[in-house]
Amino acid sequence: KQICDYLIEPKNLKTAVNQLEIKQKELLKYLLKCGGFCRLNALTRKFGSMKGDGFFWSEQPPTSPLAVLWSKALVIVGRSKLEGRYYKIATIPVELRQPLQKCLS
């Protein structure tokens, strides 16, 4: 709730986006073009794998574009049912899609 409340504020979201690297911004734009979510395998082919990033981000910060965005709560990685099958996906939270579109344009 606190993270969502923080990122919903336009000033805070703009600050977060301005701190991103070009590849991370490109990934967000790609996800937005895909409607806000995409199968993970398509993203990792295009933007690289999260292999080696782990989950102990306070001890070893992530390096891949997707893992960095995930650590900043701009993207969520999980599983979803698509076309009758479960797939790993990456998604931009619905509440952030429109504000991110404005920040990235």
Side-chain angles (χ1 to χ4, degrees):
K1 173 109 172 87
Q2 290 175 333
I3 294 170
C4 187
D5 290 345
Y6 178 83
L7 289 174
I8 286 295
E9 289 295 321
K11 179 181 136 191
N12 296 336
L13 185 61
K14 188 163 185 70
T15 299
V17 169
N18 287 338
Q19 293 174 352
L20 297 176
E21 295 178 2
I22 292 170
K23 201 73 162 166
Q24 297 158 0
K25 290 179 183 178
E26 288 175 3
L27 194 150
L28 285 174
K29 288 177 184 178
Y30 181 82
L31 273 174
L32 288 168
K33 282 183 188 176
C34 293
F37 73 95
C38 182
R39 287 177 41 186
L40 196 59
N41 62 354
L43 278 180
T44 56
R45 266 188 262 125
K46 188 167 181 69
F47 295 98
S49 162
M50 293 190 301
K51 188 175 183 173
D53 281 323
F55 294 100
F56 299 103
W57 297 330
S58 60
E59 296 169 18
Q60 186 176 359
T63 56
S64 69
L66 182 56
V68 169
L69 293 172
W70 191 9
S71 73
K72 295 179 181 294
L74 295 171
V75 170
I76 306 299
V77 176
R79 293 173 53 98
S80 183
K81 192 172 189 176
L82 303 170
E83 301 164 359
R85 296 184 61 197
Y86 282 94
Y87 294 97
K88 288 183 180 177
I89 64 158
T91 183
I92 296 172
V94 174
E95 301 84 2
L96 296 179
R97 290 178 187 175
Q98 188 176 3
L100 271 173
Q101 187 76 45
K102 290 178 185 176
C103 285
L104 292 168
S105 57

